[in-house]
Structures are given as structure tokens and as C-alpha cells.
Amino acid sequence: MPGSADPGAGPGADPGADPGAGPGSARPGGRTARVREAVLRAAEDVLAERGFAHLDLADVARRADVGKTTVYRRWGTVAGLMADVLLDMAQQSVPRARTGSLLGDLTANARLVCRTLADPRQGALFKAVIAAATCDPKAAEALHGFYAVRVEEWADCVREAEARGEVPGGTDPHEVIRAVSAPLYYRLLTTPLPLDDAAADRSAAAAAAAARAGAYVREA
């Protein structure tokens, strides 16, 4: 997700800043959007290269060629900046697939997760964000918000499968989607094994079989 910095803003400069803007807020287009894009890409670079512990607002401002006053005013804290990084990632994510079957949809979801996590930059970025969430409550809140958006994006494939009679009534769509990606994240974080289509397909098939068997029906 490449970004471009505003060449007119150097360290310490604050031209055109919006004093009333909250973390991540931006007017459509214009300089505000360009600044946000540059800062978020710079923050992602730091997270991928060095991890959350080394994320520093002044360093991000320097990398983005944006006035550090602008960065401090708009994002305020490292956690606020990371929350906006995750919001942007959720907004940029690929829309859910519609294949006409539960297994097809879950396989598309699993393969998308694998492609993302296997990418050297994106995989490192997710590792950094997950690590941050284990020790920083605001980072955890931001990560939970990101996954809430992504899980809901794909939950309709389970609702549609229920309407087609592929899974029992009352199946929890969110639990099914989480079950697809959980083994893939475990593989990423605990093993050196590859994240490939074979791993994705196994994860999708297992989640689909469990859903069809009623494993995710909500308790009364």
C-alpha cells in the first residue's frame, strides 16, 4: 500500500493542518488526505521493520516528510496512530467473495488470509500489531475493531448458506469465519510452515464441515 508524502511539509512545519481534526479524520481528497496516506504508510513501514515498541510519532513524521506538529495534533499518541492504521487496512481490504456455496466462500476467505499473511511486509505488519495488542489495551481495542469489521464483511456467506439449507438454523456466522482463519494465524505465529493454498483449503474445509455438523449453532 504505497503512499506519497507532501513535499512542501518538512520536519516541524505545520502548513494547512486542521486543528479540529481527530485521529485519522480527513477531508475527501486534498492535502489532508495526502498527509494521512503518507503518515499511515510510514507507520506501517516502522511496524513491519521494527515492531510496535519502536513506533515513534516524530520518526513517522520524518519518514513521511510531514510536520511532526501535524502528526502529534492529528493522532496524539502511538496507539491513536496504530488505530488509524488498522482502520485504513480494514477499509482497503478486499471485499468478500460470492461463489454460491459455503465451502467456496470459506475457501476464498482462507486463501485471502493466507496471501495476506504470507506477504513479507503484510505478515510482518500483522505480527507487530498482534504483539502490540498483547501488552497495550488501546492497541488491543484497535485490533479488535479491525477484526470485527473483517469478520462481519464475510459473515453474510454463512447467513446465505443457512438460507440455502447448507448449515443448521441458528449457526453463528461470526464463529464460523473466525474458525476459518484461526488455524492460519496459529500457523503464522507458532510454526515455520508455509501459508499456502493447501493450508487455506484445509482450514476452510474443516470450518465448513464443522458448521454443517452444527458445531457453531448458538446455544439457546
Side-chain angles (χ1 to χ4, degrees):
M1 291 180 286
S4 57
D6 185 338
D14 192 23
D18 179 359
S25 60
R27 295 184 298 273
R31 182 181 183 280
T32 299
R34 293 196 302 273
V35 166
R36 179 175 183 252
E37 173 79 6
V39 169
L40 295 186
R41 299 297 80 81
E44 287 179 359
D45 289 343
V46 175
L47 285 166
E49 293 167 11
R50 307 184 67 197
F52 180 73
H54 296 280
L55 188 62
D56 175 78
L57 296 186
D59 179 44
V60 169
R62 178 187 60 78
R63 286 175 178 242
D65 195 20
V66 170
K68 64 181 180 181
T69 306
T70 298
V71 174
Y72 279 99
R73 182 174 294 171
R74 286 192 57 183
W75 286 276
T77 65
V78 165
L81 177 56
M82 198 180 79
D84 199 28
V85 167
L86 287 164
L87 172 63
D88 182 67
M89 289 168 61
Q91 292 170 339
Q92 299 298 324
S93 294
V94 176
R96 60 151 289 205
R98 285 175 169 81
T99 69
S101 75
L102 177 65
L103 180 58
D105 288 353
L106 296 186
T107 299
N109 175 265
R111 290 191 175 194
L112 174 60
V113 171
C114 274
R115 286 197 302 272
T116 301
L117 298 182
D119 178 83
R121 185 172 186 274
Q122 291 295 305
L125 178 58
F126 273 100
K127 284 182 179 179
V129 171
I130 292 168
T134 65
C135 58
D136 186 288
K138 290 186 177 179
E141 182 180 356
L143 185 65
H144 297 162
F146 169 82
Y147 282 111
V149 170
R150 293 309 295 149
V151 168
E152 180 57 34
E153 171 79 14
W154 285 83
D156 275 349
C157 76
V158 182
R159 298 184 182 108
E160 292 163 8
E162 182 179 338
R164 292 191 299 264
E166 287 190 70
V167 297
T171 295
D172 187 328
H174 301 97
E175 287 299 315
V176 176
I177 300 304
R178 294 187 190 105
V180 173
S181 58
L184 304 176
Y185 278 91
Y186 187 84
R187 194 178 182 93
L188 171 74
L189 296 171
T190 68
T191 80
L193 299 173
L195 284 160
D196 52 18
D197 284 351
D201 293 354
R202 281 194 301 271
S203 183
R212 288 193 293 265
Y216 302 111
V217 173
R218 298 183 187 90
E219 294 183 4

